[in-house]
Amino acid sequence: MPLDAQTLNSLGLPKPPSETRVVVAMSGGVDSSVVAAMLAEEGYDVVGVTLQLYDHGAALAKKGACCAGIDIHDARRVAEQMGFPHYVLDYENIFRDAVIDEFAESYLGGATPVPCIRCNERVKFKDLLGTAKDLDADCMATGHYIQRMLGDHGAELHSAADANRDQSYFLFSTTPEQLDFLRFPLGHLKSKAETRALAAKYGLSVADKPDSQDICFVPDGNYASVIEKLRPGAAEPGEIVHADGRVLGEHRGVIHYTIGQRRGLGIGGLSEPLYVVKLDVDNKRVVVGPKEMLATRKVPVREINWLGDAPFTSQAEWPLSVKVRSTRPPREAVIRPISETEAEVELIVAEEGVSPGQACVFYDPNGSRIFGGGWIWRGY
């Protein structure tokens, strides 16, 4: 029997769960497995989908990676156990074109890219979401730790209840249209222990499976080795130069360095600690200097995805908080729009190690709402 139009199920839709089709993006990890099992137990018409993002053989050789061969196997086992259909989609070409190639080019350009954001933006929340609609799904659910709440103007993006698990930095580019269709059933949980307890309750084999730590196609966090494989000859040597012009030594390739790096520079014996303050790709130079040179207050941002209720350019300034790295807390800032997709962000207190290629995500300074964000694109 259909629900009353005003009666919503747990996913916010005016249908009985049995008549509500939900595509669950299943990585094979404990989070998405719990989402699928939870919704199946509630009686939803669940369809599990796992993306094969790169070659099975290479994936099986790397433990702990998202979307690797063993993860596809684990997702399939959960689907069989809970009694819902499961599909594996070959997204290798899409993933390479939309994520890996840009990652390589950005890194070669001296930036510090965040490929997980591009994967969510261009693969999971674009092509996979389109596939979900093709399957006549009413919504798509994921295991991300973030919250979707309804406000006066529609669906809003909010930080997860567990600040230690919050993934808002990686999901800032989610559009209002995508947010209408997406659901995040784990965002309200207070800890990962609650998720694992649910996995144990459902008897899932992945209940104790370790979390993936690295970028899925970057074994052991070694970015440079991946770039060398993708772009042979990219690691050309050059000079390590002090900001005052002194040549201090030689490096083995700009791709081995990141802004803010101190260790492993190979220029010992100096009286002051030095940090990488600039990567001069054109001249194959790694520029180093004292720590205070890393501090910056003005951050240029482009490709902005704005999630506020009023148009981005309707105000000259937006007093918000921003994150310039995923591991740092939001800091007080003023955002000055230049266009609908560009802005200058001024930090009230200078931050160190702000790097092109990283995201700058906008937060409500007095609440949990995310107002979008953009990409840091060059230094002043």
Side-chain angles (χ1 to χ4, degrees), residues 307-365:
L307 295 175
D309 298 329
F312 185 51
T313 55
S314 64
Q315 292 186 195
E317 294 184 347
W318 293 92
L320 296 171
S321 294
V322 302
K323 267 191 185 186
V324 293
R325 287 206 175 185
S326 63
T327 54
R328 297 182 183 176
R331 304 294 191 189
E332 191 178 356
V334 174
I335 300 165
R336 299 186 178 94
I338 296 171
S339 70
E340 294 288 350
T341 58
E342 282 192 76
E344 177 189 80
V345 174
E346 183 173 356
L347 302 163
I348 303 305
V349 177
E351 282 268 354
E352 296 175 351
V354 176
S355 175
Q358 294 281 303
C360 180
V361 182
F362 310 155
Y363 294 83
D364 181 350

